[in-house]
Structure formats: structure tokens, C-alpha cells
């Protein structure tokens, strides 16, 4: 699969950095991201890195094994992408995507050499052009260009500027029908076929060597050493199965890399040399090494492909084409051709191709690919939708608000890819350890070969085999790959469940936090005021109370008034006729409703009007009575608003509004920022998973903060905090505990998020600020994803520890057992190399099984 070219600085790979001068693209620092699929093991990465660093002007090289991508920072005045690609190929690897793309244009009118010359001249003026091939006999032009510097649209315009019409555009490898050549299965690839052929010859060699010794006749001799039928079969097995090994070993030696390819090449050639020159008859060992190591390489590639597929699934979420409505006509175009402002049409069952705003239609949209929400979200005119989500049932027209390369899904994919660059502490330790491991084991192999004949009394041929076996175990691939493959598995699994983790270091840190601190407004609460209680008084009904309140508040711009109007609208209550509206500063509002003066405001307003708030009759029928009112009404149907009802509502964190005339109190309305239904369950689940302490930090008043803290169940809270005081509170927590996670909205809480060990932003889908601010982003406003995140991170840390120590233990155990004859070569290859690499990858993939709890407890 061809991956989109992108750069860490957000600009084109062949352009200047965002903070550099945007002058000549050949000047200054550049970043290239190249796809090298065959770079699937630490030794491969080391070989590629060593080769690229031989170029002058290379500033940094970051090989990412788990995704097969190579990021190179270089000075454009000294080298370029083509030179980097050449060095990668010099290391023996193929670049599948170097930031360029090849397209085939159908130009029927280009039917002579002169026409072709004009087209070539026109294309020559396009920036980023790499190669042009014109074929007048077939009327086609094949163009290779740099995607970062130009677009397909520019190329078509250039051809048309020469006076020729482009009737069709396809990929270079596509047929007229649009079919592409498949890559085929790994198990039927050229290397795999050579491996299977090698296995057949090895099997026949074993047959003659051990089962049919009588038929194992001598067929010749080399340098005085006899060659039997089995020996010849083993040699053919080495020749077929060992080609790729020896080829890679050559490139390793050329780049001075002491990696597994070089070690295996030395082992195979050493066994053949001992057999042919010294008559030690190690043909079987050489053939076994060639065949089994080739199988091991295929298994390693297969297991790595499994890990890479999880990221490719993210890339495949967005459709390749979109139906655009232009000048009243619908047209299907590639998503890269859709422009900001275009209107795209999405029918039931189709994926939404671009970020945008609904301008027509109503539907339910499955946002699980982006936000992880399990229930489709209703969308109507004015609502935002994201690329990669699925239109469930209705017809939608969406105005595009972001280009394909800058939509929410693209940013998620890019951040997941970039996350590998932020190495965990364990990964850094393993890399340092591995730099000593191989030389030590190679030295041990030499020592064993030279000393075991004297110390343990074994034959020199046996000691030589011991040395070869230790060379096989000298490769640190299994434990080097154990961390990055776990990180990629965890991060991509989280992304598919609506959690964006921006680096392996943040994943590791999240799994080790002791304290989780929450912002209140918009995090533990919904961030929107809602009417929670309506208490009718003096024989009025709830509808009558809401009708008066709506009339009084609908001209108010205060959030409390807006909440009351919204509740009345939901209840279907119409407003009375309003006259003489007046705002009473600091206390409430007044207006004439159907000619009768009415008031709505704080209890103090009605106290000033002369009402006895300690003796008010509650409505017991004809209205909805809250539990609070019902309990108090049992005392002679009388409420003491001043000492009982109002303080009790306020103790629950609610704001109280009294509604009435100058003669009668008609009712009480309580308004609050409603606690998220999943908040209490999320806090409880975090405690069950091992979080030692939960804290709420808020700028709200002490009374409201206390009520919310008690309802949610956090261990502690701090109220009336200014932004800098919230940062100080986080810093105090960081000093007291090993790890602190701060959960906020990613905008107002940016300083606190940055001060915490791990910053977690809520509701980051489509929000640039939230995506950029936090270390981790919950793409939807769903706190139930927080326990999932903690569990995933904690399990990822466990898996990484298991992988590292298991691979080290197996390698060490096998190495120590070799001098005593307990480890044949085939065990070293299959268990020590292929077995452990496959095992650590399989163990890492277990992280994808962890799922968020969709249940919301109130």
C-alpha cells in the first residue's frame, strides 16, 4: 500500500521547515519520510541507518521498524531525496514510497513525436517533476512527481496548456479498467518460494543421511573431502535458501553492521568452509541454518505485517472518492481533488469522505472510527462531521471545511505514525543494552569454540558447531522489537477506540500514574447549565411555573435564563405575552406577563418584596414534585424555603431561581451544570484498576465544588482556583506522587495539562487546539474512555516488561546451554530467533483485545 508522504514539521518533505525561510526549496533543513517495507527488524534498521549516514548533510535518521518508515532530516544544500533513496538501496532495501507518485495520463491527441515534445516541454515547467515518459503510439504520458511540491491537477493543467486534452488518469500500475497489480501473498513471494525449494532439498538430504544411509553414495570430492548424495542435496539447499541471507550479509559487511544477516552469513560460510576445506562434514548444519533462518525471516515479516495492518486499517477508514455537487451536477472525484468549500453528497451506508458541516439533510452517523462512540450520533444542518465516519440511514450534504491532508482522520493517522519517534524509557534502555549484547555473545562464541575441546573434551567440529549456534543467538532482534511493536499495537488499538496517544512515552507514563486530577466544568460535568428541579408552589403546576419563567427569561442572555428557556421548550410550554421587561441588577428580572407583574430571581429578591420564605405551601397534586419537596411537604404541606429547601438544593451544587408575582410565589427552579452520567462509574473504575487518588480542581465556588465532588466520588477537591493556582496544584501533586494525569478540555486547561506527567484532553475530535495541547486526547466527550486508557497503558507496560525479560531469559538460557550440547542449531534458529520474535509480536497484539466499557452508570 502506498502511504501518504508527510513531514513532522507539517510542511512538504522537500520544502523548508515552517520556521525557516520559504525560499528556494533546495535551501535549508528538510525532512523526508520514506516507506521501506523490508525494514522489519532491528538489524535491517541499523543497516539502513548506517548507509544513509554516509551521506553528507544528514542531520538525523529515525528508522521506524513497526511501520517500515524511515524519517530523515537533511540539509537540502548538500543532499536530496534521490541520494537518500540511493543509499537505502545500497544497503539492500527497496523504497516503496519516496514521496513521489507516478500517474499515467491518457492524451489521445498526442499522436506524434512533435506533440510529445510539446507535452514534455509543458510538463517541464511544473515544480516537483521527476520524470516524464511520452508514448505517442498509445497516446499516453507517464509522469513521476513529488507529491509535496505539486498535484495531479497541476500536471493536467500543464498538459492542457500545451493544447491537449487529458481524458483519463490512472496510477502507473493500473490497467485501463482500473485494476492494480496485487502484491501477492508473503508465503508465495520469491523469497518464500526459494525457501520452500531449499526445504525440499534439505528434506531429501536428511532422508539419504539418516534413513537411507546405504543409498548415500559418494558422488565426488572437493579439496580432498568426499561428497555424498546427501551432501550435494544440502549444498543445493544452501544455494537456494541462503541467497537472500548472503546477499543481506554482504550489505551488512559493506556498511560495517554486526547484525543477524552478517552473523548468519558467517555461520553458513564457516560451516561450508569447515566442510570443504577441513573435511568436518558440516553440510547439514549449513543447510539447516539457511533453510530455518529463511523460515524465521518469513515468520518475522508475517508477524510484523500483523502489527502494521493495525495502522493500515486506520488509513483505510477514509474513502478514496467523493461525490461532489458542483453547479447543481453530482460528480465523483478523488478525495484529493475535493476543495474546501465544496459540497459533498453522502448517501445511506457511505463513508463520509471529508471533515465538514452539514448543510442539508438529517441522519445518524456512526462516529466510532474517530471518537469510539458506540451509538450513532444524530446529525442535522449545522452539525460537524468527520472523515472516515459512516452515514447510517439518511441523505446528507456536507460543506467541506478541511482539505484531505488536514482533516481529523489524517491528523490522527499522522500522529499515530509520529508517536513511534517518542521512545519509552524501556525502549531506550533496550537499545543501549543491545549495543553491548551482540559483541559480548560473539566474543562468547569465539571463547566457546576455542576452549570447549580442552575444557569439556569435545571434538573441534563439535566446538565449531557450538560457536555457530551462539552466532545465531547473538542477534538481539526479539527484545529490541519487543517494545516498539507493543507501543504500535497499543497506540493503534487506542486510536480505533477513540483515544489518540501521541507517543510511546505517554503510553508508558499513563500506565504508571498514581493520581488522576480532573477539571470540573466540561470534564466531570457537561459544561452546560440544565434545569434539574421544578417545584410548583401554592397550587400551581410545573407547566405554569415554566410558562412564567420562560416569559421572564427569554429576553435574558444569562446562561441560567437560557437553560430555563430550553427546558420550557423541551416541555412544550409556550410563553406568555411580555411587556415592560426589566433587569434587576444582581437579583433577577421583572416583566408583565399577560398584564400581571412577575418576578424571577434569587431568594433575596422575594425577601425584599416582603414574602415570608419560611412558610410556603407546596403543590401536592397537579404538578411534578421533587423528592426534596415531597419529603418537606410531609410537615403540614409547608416548606421553609429560607432554612430548608433552598439551602438543600444549593448544597447539591444547584443555583435556585424563584418565580412569582408580587402577591404569590409560584414555584422554584433549580439549575446546575449536570454531572456526566458516566463520571461516577469512571472514577470508581479507575480506583478499581489501581489509581491511588482522584482529585477535582475547579474555579467554581466551594459549595458547588463540594457537591459535585461528593456526587462523583473523587477523593479530594480544590475549589475557587485561578488558572495559575490550578497549575500550582498540579505541580504539588507531581512532587508528592510518581505520576499525575490531568484531564481537562484541552483549551482552558492547557497550562495544567502541560504541567502534569500526562495531559489528557476531552472531546478533541476536530479541535486543533486540543489535539496539539494534550499528550493524550479522548476524541469524544466520554469519560468512560479514561479507565480504558489507563487499563490499556497499564497492560502495555506489562506486555513490554514480559517481552523484554522473556526474550532475554530465553536467549541467555539457550546461550548458556550451548557449550553443554543441549541446543542444536535448529533450536537456536526457531526458538531463539523466529520463535521469540513471533512470540513477542503475538503478545503485543493482545493489547488490541482490550475494549472500552460502553456501560454508563448514573
Amino acid at each position: 500500500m502506498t502511504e501518504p508522504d508527510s513531514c513532522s514539521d507539517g510542511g512538504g518533505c522537500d520544502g523548508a521547515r515552517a520556521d525557516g525561510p520559504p525560499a528556494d526549496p533546495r535551501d535549508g533543513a528538510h525532512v523526508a519520510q520514506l516507506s521501506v517495507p523490508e525494514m522489519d527488524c532491528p538489524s535491517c534498521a541499523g543497516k539502513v541507518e548506517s548507509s544513509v549516514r554516509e551521506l553528507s548533510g544528514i542531520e538525523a535518521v529515525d528508522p521506524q521498524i513497526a511501520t517500515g518508515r524511515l524519517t530523515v532530516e537533511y540539509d537540502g544544500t548538500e543532499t536530496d531525496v534521490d541520494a537518500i533513496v540511493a543509499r537505502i538501496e545500497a544497503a539492500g532495501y527497496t523504497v516503496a514510497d519516496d514521496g513521489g507518485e507516478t500517474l499515467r495520463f491518457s492524451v489521445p491527441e498526442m499522436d506524434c513525436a512533435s506533440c510529445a515534445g510539446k507535452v514534455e516541454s509543458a510538463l517541464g515547467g511544473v515544480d516537483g517533476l521527476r520524470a516524464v515518459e511520452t508514448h505517442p503510439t498509445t497516446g499516453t504520458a507517464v509522469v513521476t512527481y513529488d507529491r509535496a511540491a505539486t498535484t495531479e491537477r497541476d500536471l493536467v493543467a500543464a498538459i492542457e496548456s500545451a493544447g491537449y486534452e487529458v481524458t483519463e488518469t490512472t496510477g502507473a500500475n493500473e490497467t485501463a479498467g482500473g485494476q492494480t497489480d496485487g502484491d501477492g501473498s508473503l508465503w508465495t513471494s520469491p523469497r518464500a518460494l526459494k525457501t520452500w525449494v531449499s526445504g525440499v532439498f534439505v528434506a531429501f538430504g536428511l532422508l539419504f543421511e539418516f534413513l537411507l544411509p546405504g543409498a548415500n553414495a559418494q558422488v565426488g570430492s572437493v579439496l580432498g573431502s568426499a561428497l555424498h548424495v546427501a551432501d550435494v542435496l544440502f549444498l543445493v539447499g544452501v544455494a537456494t535458501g541462503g541467497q537472500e541471507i548472503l546477499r543481506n550479509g554482504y550489505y551488512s559487511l559493506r556498511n560495517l553492521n554486526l547484525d543477524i544477516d552478517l552473523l548468519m552469513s558467517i555461520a553458513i560460510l564457516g560451516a561450508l568452509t569447515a566442510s570443504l576445506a577441513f573435511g568436518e562434514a558440516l553440510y547439514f548444519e549449513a543447510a539447516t541454518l539457511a533453510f530455518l533462518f529463511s523460515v524465521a525471516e518469513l515468520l518475522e515479516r508475517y508477524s510484523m505485517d500483523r502489527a502494521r495492518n493495525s495502522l493500515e486499517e486506520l488509513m483505510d477508514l477514509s474513502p478514496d472518492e467523493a461525490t461532489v455537487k458542483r453547479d447543481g451536477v453530482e460528480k465523483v472525484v478523488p478525495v484529493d481533488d475535493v476543495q474546501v468549500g465544496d459540497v459533498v453528497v453522502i448517501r445511506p451506508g457511505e463513508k463520509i469522505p471529508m471533515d465538514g458541516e452539514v448543510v442539508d439533510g438529517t441522519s445518524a452517523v456512526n462516529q466510532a472510527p474517530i471518537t469510539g462512540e458506540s451509538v450513532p450520533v444524530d446529525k442535522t444542518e449545522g452539525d460537524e462531521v468527520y472523515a472516515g465516519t459512516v452515514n447510517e440511514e439518511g441523505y446528507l450534504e456536507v460543506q467541506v471545511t478541511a482539505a484531505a491532508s488536514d482533516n481529523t482522520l489524517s491528523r490522527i493517522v499522522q500522529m499515530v505514525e509520529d508517536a513511534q519517534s517518542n521512545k519509552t524509557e524501556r525502549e531506550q534502555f533496550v537499545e543501549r543494552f543491545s549495543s553491548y549484547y551482540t559483541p559480548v555473545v560473539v566474543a562468547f562464541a569465539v571463547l566457546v569454540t576455542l576452549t570447549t575441546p580442552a575444557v569439556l573434551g569435545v571434538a573441534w567440529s563439535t566446538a565449531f558447531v557450538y560457536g555457530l549456534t551462539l552466532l545465531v543467538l547473538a542477534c538481539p532482534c526479539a527484545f529490541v522489537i519487543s517494545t516498539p511493536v507493543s507501543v504500535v499495537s497499543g497506540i493503534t488499538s487506542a486510536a480505533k477506540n477513540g483515544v489518540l496517544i501521541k507517543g510511546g512515552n505517554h503510553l508508558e507514563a499513563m500506565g504508571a500514574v498514581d493520581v488522576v486530577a480532573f477539571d470540573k466544568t466540561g470534564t466531570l460535568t457537561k459544561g452546560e447549565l440544565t434545569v434539574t428541579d421544578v417545584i410548583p408552589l401554592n397550587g400551581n403546576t410545573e407547566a405554569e411555573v415554566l410558562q412564567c419563567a420562560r416569559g421572564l427569561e427569554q429576553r435574558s442572555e444569562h446562561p441560567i435564563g437560557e437553560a430555563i428557556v430550553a427546558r420550557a421548550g423541551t416541555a412544550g410550554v409556550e410563553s406568555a405575552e411580555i411587556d415592560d421587561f426589566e433587569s434587576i441588577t444582581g437579583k433577577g428580572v421583572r416583566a408583565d406577563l399577560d398584564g400581571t407583574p412577575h418576578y424571577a430571581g434569587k431568594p433575596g429578591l422575594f425577601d425584599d418584596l416582603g414574602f415570608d420564605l419560611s412558610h410556603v405551601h407546596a403543590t401536592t397534586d397537579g404538578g411534578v414534585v421533587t423528592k426534596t419537596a415531597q419529603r418537606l411537604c410531609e410537615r403540614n404541606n409547608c416548606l421553609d424555603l429560607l432554612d430548608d429547601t433552598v439551602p438543600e438544593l444549593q448544597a447539591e451544587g444547584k443555583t435556585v431561581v424563584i418565580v412569582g408575582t408580587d402577591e404569590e410565589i409560584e414555584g422554584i427552579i433549580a439549575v446546575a451544570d449536570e454531572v456526566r452520567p458516566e463520571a461516577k462509574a469512571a472514577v470508581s473504575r479507575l480506583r478499581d484498576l489501581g489509581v491511588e487518588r482522584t482529585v477535582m480542581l475547579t474555579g467554581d465556588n466551594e459549595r458547588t465544588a463540594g457537591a459535585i465532588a461528593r456526587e462523583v466520588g473523587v477523593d479530594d477537591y480544590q475549589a475557587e482556583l485561578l488558572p495559575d493556582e490550578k497549575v500550582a496544584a498540579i505541580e504539588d501533586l507531581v512532587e508528592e506522587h510518581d505520576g499525575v494525569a490531568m484531564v481537562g478540555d484541552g483549551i482552558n486547561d492547557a497550562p495544567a495539562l502541560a504541567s502534569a506527567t500526562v495531559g489528557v484532553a476531552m472531546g478533541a475530535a476536530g479541535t486543533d487546539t486540543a489535539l496539539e495541547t494534550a499528550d493524550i486526547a479522548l476524541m469524544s466527550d466520554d469519560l468512560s474512555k479514561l479507565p480504558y486508557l489507563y487499563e490499556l497503558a497499564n497492560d502495555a507496560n506489562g506486555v513490554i516488561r514480559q517481552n523484554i525479560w522473556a526474550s532475554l531469559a530465553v536467549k541467555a538460557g539457550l546461550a548458556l546451554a550451548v557449550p553443554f550440547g543441549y541446543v542444536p542449531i535448529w533450536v537456536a534458529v526457531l526458538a531463539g530467533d523466529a520463535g521469540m520474535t513471533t512470540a513477542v509480536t503475538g503478545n503485543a497484539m493482545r493489547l488490541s483485545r482490550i475494549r472500552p466499557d460502553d456501560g454508563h452508570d448514573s
Side-chain angles (χ1 to χ4, degrees):
M1 170 178 177
T2 301
E3 303 177 27
D5 182 63
S6 53
C7 302
S8 61
D9 63 26
C13 287
D14 283 323
R17 286 182 177 275
D19 56 356
D24 191 329
R26 296 169 296 179
D27 294 338
H30 299 63
V31 179
Q33 285 194 341
L34 313 175
S35 176
V36 190
E38 297 165 352
M39 185 182 66
D40 54 10
C41 67
S43 62
C44 306
K47 209 178 318 182
V48 169
E49 182 174 354
S50 297
S51 183
V52 171
R53 285 192 180 278
E54 291 184 14
L55 288 171
S56 60
I58 298 298
E59 297 171 358
V61 182
D62 180 20
Q64 299 169 356
I65 303 168
T67 50
R69 292 188 73 79
L70 181 75
T71 303
V72 183
E73 294 183 26
Y74 63 97
D75 186 340
T77 62
E78 297 188 46
T79 189
D80 56 25
V81 173
D82 292 336
I84 294 170
V85 170
R87 290 308 307 162
I88 295 171
E89 292 173 346
Y93 296 89
T94 303
V95 177
D97 178 16
D98 62 354
E101 185 167 343
T102 302
L103 293 176
R104 183 185 301 274
F105 298 98
S106 294
V107 191
E109 298 170 357
M110 186 188 67
D111 53 10
C112 67
S114 175
C115 304
K118 278 189 284 186
V119 169
E120 290 177 9
S121 296
L123 287 169
V126 178
D127 292 335
L129 192 74
R130 293 190 178 178
V132 179
E133 291 183 20
T134 51
H135 305 282
T137 54
T138 57
T140 58
V142 179
V143 181
T144 301
Y145 66 99
D146 187 342
R147 289 195 303 269
T150 192
T151 65
E152 177 186 331
R153 187 188 302 274
D154 295 332
L155 297 172
V156 171
I159 295 172
E160 291 179 345
S161 70
Y164 298 93
E165 181 185 5
V166 176
T167 60
E168 186 179 7
T169 304
T170 60
N173 295 323
E174 294 179 5
T175 63
Q179 299 298 319
T180 58
D181 299 327
D183 292 331
S185 168
L186 171 68
W187 305 111
T188 57
S189 64
R191 178 161 191 180
L193 294 177
K194 291 177 184 177
T195 301
W196 310 143
V197 172
S198 174
V200 171
F201 281 103
V202 171
F204 275 108
L206 291 172
L207 178 66
F208 280 95
E209 180 83 21
F210 299 106
L211 298 181
L212 301 173
N216 190 23
Q218 181 175 342
V219 294
S221 64
V222 177
L223 300 176
S225 299
L227 277 180
H228 296 81
V229 172
D231 299 333
V232 173
L233 291 170
F234 288 141
L235 283 171
V236 176
V238 171
T240 52
Q243 286 181 24
E244 292 294 324
I245 300 171
L246 296 175
R247 171 184 175 275
N248 292 336
Y250 160 74
Y251 285 112
S252 299
L253 180 61
R254 182 173 158 180
N255 289 285
L256 302 179
N257 257 52
L258 187 62
D259 59 14
I260 187 61
D261 292 316
L262 180 56
L263 293 172
M264 290 301 299
S265 297
I266 293 172
I268 292 171
L269 294 175
L272 292 178
T273 301
S275 302
L276 296 172
F278 303 105
E280 296 293 346
L282 300 179
Y283 302 108
F284 164 69
E285 284 76 7
T288 303
L289 280 174
F291 170 64
L292 292 181
F293 184 68
S294 290
V295 173
E297 290 282 274
L298 292 172
L299 286 172
E300 187 174 286
R301 181 66 185 271
Y302 171 72
S303 61
M304 188 56 61
D305 284 347
R306 287 182 59 203
R308 291 177 180 178
N309 284 342
S310 59
L311 179 58
E312 290 182 0
E313 287 171 7
L314 281 177
M315 298 177 180
D316 289 340
L317 288 175
S318 182
D320 297 325
E321 296 179 329
T323 302
V324 181
K325 201 171 186 180
R326 291 173 179 165
D327 299 325
V329 178
E330 293 184 8
K331 181 180 180 182
V332 178
V333 300
V335 291
D336 289 338
D337 289 348
V338 180
Q339 300 176 352
V340 174
D342 279 345
V343 174
V344 296
V345 174
I346 306 104
R347 293 181 171 79
E350 293 181 348
K351 289 182 179 179
I352 295 175
M354 311 287 284
D355 282 7
E357 181 179 306
V358 177
V359 293
D360 189 21
T362 302
S363 182
V365 173
N366 181 357
Q367 297 191 151
I370 300 297
T371 66
E373 294 167 287
S374 58
V375 179
V377 179
D378 291 333
K379 299 289 183 179
T380 188
E381 189 173 336
D383 289 338
E384 188 176 13
V385 293
Y386 311 119
T389 57
V390 181
N391 182 22
E392 292 283 333
E393 54 192 33
Y395 171 88
L396 291 176
E397 290 187 6
V398 174
Q399 187 170 40
V400 176
T401 56
S405 60
D406 195 39
N407 61 36
T408 303
L409 179 60
S410 296
R411 294 202 304 274
I412 291 173
V413 171
Q414 184 59 47
M415 287 181 178
V416 170
E417 286 187 319
D418 291 344
Q420 300 169 76
S421 300
N422 299 323
K423 291 180 169 57
T424 68
E425 291 183 7
R426 291 187 182 91
E427 192 170 0
Q428 294 173 34
F429 160 76
V430 167
E431 289 183 353
R432 290 193 301 269
F433 178 84
S434 64
S435 65
Y436 297 101
Y437 171 83
T438 299
V440 168
V441 177
V442 170
F444 184 54
V446 174
L447 181 66
V448 167
T449 303
L450 298 177
T451 61
T452 48
V455 176
L456 299 177
V458 301
W460 279 103
S461 60
T462 303
F464 190 72
V465 172
Y466 290 169
L468 298 182
T469 306
L470 284 169
L471 287 183
V472 173
L473 295 173
C475 175
C477 287
F479 56 85
V480 171
I481 200 69
S482 60
T483 301
V485 76
S486 301
V487 168
V488 168
S489 176
I491 288 176
T492 53
S493 176
K496 286 185 283 189
N497 285 291
V499 178
L500 179 60
I501 304 171
K502 294 166 65 175
N505 53 337
H506 304 312
L507 178 68
E508 182 181 49
M510 186 66 202
V513 300
D514 298 323
V515 178
V516 177
F518 298 90
D519 172 50
K520 179 184 77 70
T521 305
T523 301
L524 290 174
T525 66
K526 293 182 177 179
E528 299 176 358
L529 292 179
T530 306
V531 173
T532 58
D533 301 84
V534 179
I535 306 175
L537 301 171
N538 294 316
N540 290 284
T541 66
E542 178 179 337
E544 289 170 337
V545 174
L546 287 173
Q547 183 181 38
C548 292
R550 178 172 187 170
L552 289 163
E553 297 287 1
Q554 68 181 8
R555 293 187 181 180
S556 170
E557 295 181 357
H558 195 281
I560 291 177
E562 293 175 356
I564 292 173
V565 171
R567 171 63 180 271
T570 302
V573 175
E574 298 294 333
S575 173
E577 185 177 341
I578 307 167
D579 290 308
D580 296 332
F581 176 84
E582 177 187 357
S583 175
I584 304 173
T585 304
K587 293 185 177 181
V589 295
R590 177 205 174 280
D592 290 344
L593 302 180
D594 295 331
T596 302
H598 278 73
Y599 298 85
K602 298 178 179 179
L605 172 62
F606 286 83
D607 195 28
D608 292 345
L609 291 172
F611 284 94
D612 181 5
L613 299 181
S614 64
H615 188 87
V616 180
H617 290 278
T619 298
T620 56
D621 52 30
V624 179
V625 182
T626 66
K627 292 180 181 179
T628 301
Q630 184 65 57
R631 184 168 63 253
L632 295 170
C633 282
E634 292 171 359
R635 297 180 300 191
N636 302 318
N637 192 33
C638 176
L639 300 180
D640 185 341
L641 302 187
L642 198 60
D643 293 331
D644 291 326
T645 309
V646 171
E648 187 164 343
L649 289 169
Q650 290 176 336
E652 295 174 359
K654 300 171 182 177
T655 299
V656 175
V657 176
I658 297 179
V659 180
T661 66
D662 53 6
E663 297 179 355
E664 175 187 73
I665 295 178
E666 297 174 330
I668 297 173
I669 297 176
V671 178
D673 182 4
E674 192 174 359
V675 172
R676 293 183 184 276
E678 72 275 13
K680 183 176 181 180
V683 171
S684 176
R685 178 62 178 154
L686 284 172
R687 190 175 293 112
D688 293 341
L689 290 171
V691 173
E692 296 177 5
R693 185 182 175 194
T694 53
V695 181
M696 184 182 77
L697 306 176
T698 180
D700 211 338
N701 64 75
E702 180 77 21
R703 183 180 60 209
T704 301
I708 298 297
R710 287 188 295 272
E711 182 175 353
V712 173
V714 294
D715 298 318
D716 192 12
Y717 72 93
Q718 295 184 41
E720 300 179 7
L721 297 177
L722 296 173
D724 59 328
E725 293 173 328
K726 192 177 289 189
V727 170
I730 289 292
E731 291 174 345
D732 290 341
L733 289 172
V734 170
E735 288 182 7
E736 295 173 22
H737 302 274
D738 291 335
V740 178
M742 172 65 191
V743 187
D745 62 14
I747 302 173
N748 299 327
D749 298 306
L753 290 172
S755 300
T757 310
V758 184
V760 182
M762 290 278 294
T767 307
D768 292 341
T769 306
L771 282 175
E772 294 300 325
T773 301
D775 304 316
I776 299 174
L778 308 183
M779 302 305 288
S780 65
D781 284 327
D782 186 356
L783 265 182
S784 69
K785 297 295 174 60
L786 192 62
Y788 157 75
L789 166 64
Y790 180 77
E791 182 179 11
L792 176 71
N794 201 36
D795 285 4
N797 284 348
V799 164
I800 290 171
R801 286 193 297 268
Q802 293 164 14
N803 283 348
I804 291 173
W805 295 115
S807 54
L808 281 175
V810 169
K811 291 270 192 180
L814 290 173
L816 292 175
V818 166
F820 301 99
Y822 296 127
V823 183
I825 282 185
W826 66 268
V827 171
V829 173
L830 291 184
D833 188 71
M836 282 312 303
T837 299
T838 304
V840 298
T841 304
N843 193 34
M845 297 310 292
R846 290 192 301 113
L847 295 173
S848 63
R849 300 177 187 172
I850 302 173
R851 291 285 186 270
D853 182 5
D854 292 329
H856 291 179
D857 298 336
S858 58

